[in-house]
Amino acid sequence: PATLLLQYTNTSTMIATSRYSLRKAASQLTRAAAATSPSPLPSPSSSRSYSTTPPLNDRIVIAVGGNALQRRGERLTIENMLKAAAEMAPTIAALAKEHELVLTHGNGPQVGELALERSAATFDVLGAESMGQIGYVLAQALSSAGCHSAPIICQVVVDPQHEAFRDPSKFVGPIYGAKEATALSQSLGWVMKPDGEYFRRVVPSPPPQEILQIDAIRTLLEQCPDLLPIACGGGGIPVSRIPSNPRTLTGVEAVIDKDRCGAKLANELDADGYIILTDGGGIWQNFGKPDAREMQLASPEYLLGTKAGKNFPGSMGPKIQAAIDFVHDSKRPGAWAAIGDLKDAAKIFDNEEGTLIKEDVEEGVVWRERKDVEDGKCPKQSKEQHKSG
């Protein structure tokens, strides 16, 4: 059985890499054809027009985790969320002065807390509530930092028959000890999985298929360049179409991964780059061990071939896959994605911090040289599960 499992794993990896190579080749052919064909007239949905001001630098979508608004060990209160947002806002506001930004955010802790307060409510409704709550908190903090924003309630279509519903993996809500987790599982029917040394609730996380408010977001970017759109918070409100009447929508009991939805949002907006901000830096190999090292540059093929993030399907795994998806699916030459710490956001643009994911990286990966590693001081192992590979 062990031999069969190894053969199956190797075959799965080869298939995934082969599929990516085929998709990459098709994408390159499309780009080449576009480059040699006469330029068509820009359509309203694809052009980048600015009504009153000249364009800024690159168009960037930035994804901030819901954990950025809740520090470990602190209670999840509006006061603490406002405090955390106030500390984060100047960084985002400074970037908005240099780049055309769209901000998206997670909602794991917040939507889980709302589920505790209202156990009868469905996750589509709870997702909408958390989106409004976090959007307000971010907008208030950004305004105080001199950056005007516009939170948008977004619905995102998913497939209710997707396999994600058979194996929930998205962490939501606070952490619990083993006994408390067992009690909640038995009394409320929740699915609980380990998150480091603790346990958290997990819910289905199907991939996003369609962002219904994409035209509204695009219009804001093109007609109101002084406004920072806050969109697809928490991955968007999960909905599905009624097969007998596709125009009719119904809510779905799930939480869409905000990083995967952010990648789709970035591609739909024809963004130049996609940044996923975390609380643990970029992509590490052997984190917490003496030979730990961080990737400075990595290609999608390398990340797929080494199955980076495979040990963290509820945290870093989706982030890496989202970065790969954006780079591959982008129609813009030189498109890139990056994963790094929130406090290093400004340095990520110059690849001074975090991990940059792009095509055509020599030998697939470039390792970052750090003084603490050179001095023999590797990053310390945290008690919680680190969100990297």
Side-chain angles (χ1 to χ4, degrees), residues 93-250:
L95 294 175
K97 292 180 180 179
E98 302 293 333
H99 305 273
E100 188 183 44
L101 295 188
V102 177
L103 182 64
T104 187
H105 59 81
N107 70 342
Q110 293 80 10
V111 76
E113 192 75 16
L114 288 171
L116 280 173
E117 298 172 2
R118 301 173 54 222
S119 58
T122 55
F123 264 96
D124 55 321
V125 174
L126 296 174
E129 292 181 5
S130 68
M131 193 184 302
Q133 179 191 72
I134 299 172
Y136 158 68
V137 168
L138 291 174
Q140 185 186 95
L142 287 167
S143 179
S144 299
C147 178
H148 298 293
S149 60
I152 304 172
I153 300 297
C154 297
Q155 296 166 290
V156 178
V157 177
V158 301
D159 177 9
Q161 303 302 319
H162 191 270
E163 61 183 8
F165 290 91
R166 295 189 290 273
D167 183 22
S169 62
K170 178 67 176 176
F171 289 118
V172 297
I175 57 176
Y176 302 99
K179 292 183 178 179
E180 192 176 9
T182 300
L184 287 170
S185 178
Q186 294 174 348
S187 61
L188 298 178
W190 290 359
V191 179
M192 311 293 286
K193 288 186 177 181
D195 183 16
E197 64 177 343
Y198 300 101
F199 290 83
R200 292 178 70 189
R201 183 183 182 184
V202 291
V203 297
S205 184
Q209 293 183 329
E210 180 184 359
I211 301 171
L212 297 182
Q213 281 70 37
I214 191 65
D215 288 337
I217 302 166
R218 188 181 291 114
T219 298
L220 269 181
L221 282 174
E222 295 171 355
Q223 303 301 323
C224 303
D226 293 330
L227 278 178
L228 168 61
I230 302 175
C232 295
I237 304 167
V239 297
S240 64
R241 297 187 182 278
I242 302 297
S244 59
N245 186 5
R247 290 185 300 179
T248 302
L249 302 172
T250 184

Side-chain angles (χ1 to χ4, degrees), residues 5 10 30 70 72 89 92 147 162 178 187 229 233 236 252 258 266 270 275 286 321 327 342 357-358 365 378 381 383:
L5 178 59
N10 292 338
T30 301
Q70 182 202 18
R72 288 272 173 167
I92 302 299
C147 178
H162 191 270
S187 61
V252 176
K258 71 101 174 36
D270 200 23
I275 299 178
N286 299 329
Q321 188 59 54
V327 172
L342 174 63
I357 298 98
K358 65 175 188 175
V365 65
C378 68
Q381 178 70 57
K383 288 185 178 180

Side-chain angles (χ1 to χ4, degrees), residues 283-288 291-295 302 367 388-389:
I283 306 174
W284 286 79
Q285 181 187 61
N286 299 329
F287 181 83
D291 59 345
R293 54 181 180 171
E294 184 183 24
M295 300 178 192
Y302 179 85
W367 299 100
S388 65

Side-chain angles (χ1 to χ4, degrees), residues 370-383:
R370 285 188 177 274
K371 188 176 185 300
D372 56 356
V373 175
E374 292 172 357
D375 294 341
K377 299 177 182 178
C378 68
K380 294 181 180 180
Q381 178 70 57
S382 170
K383 288 185 178 180

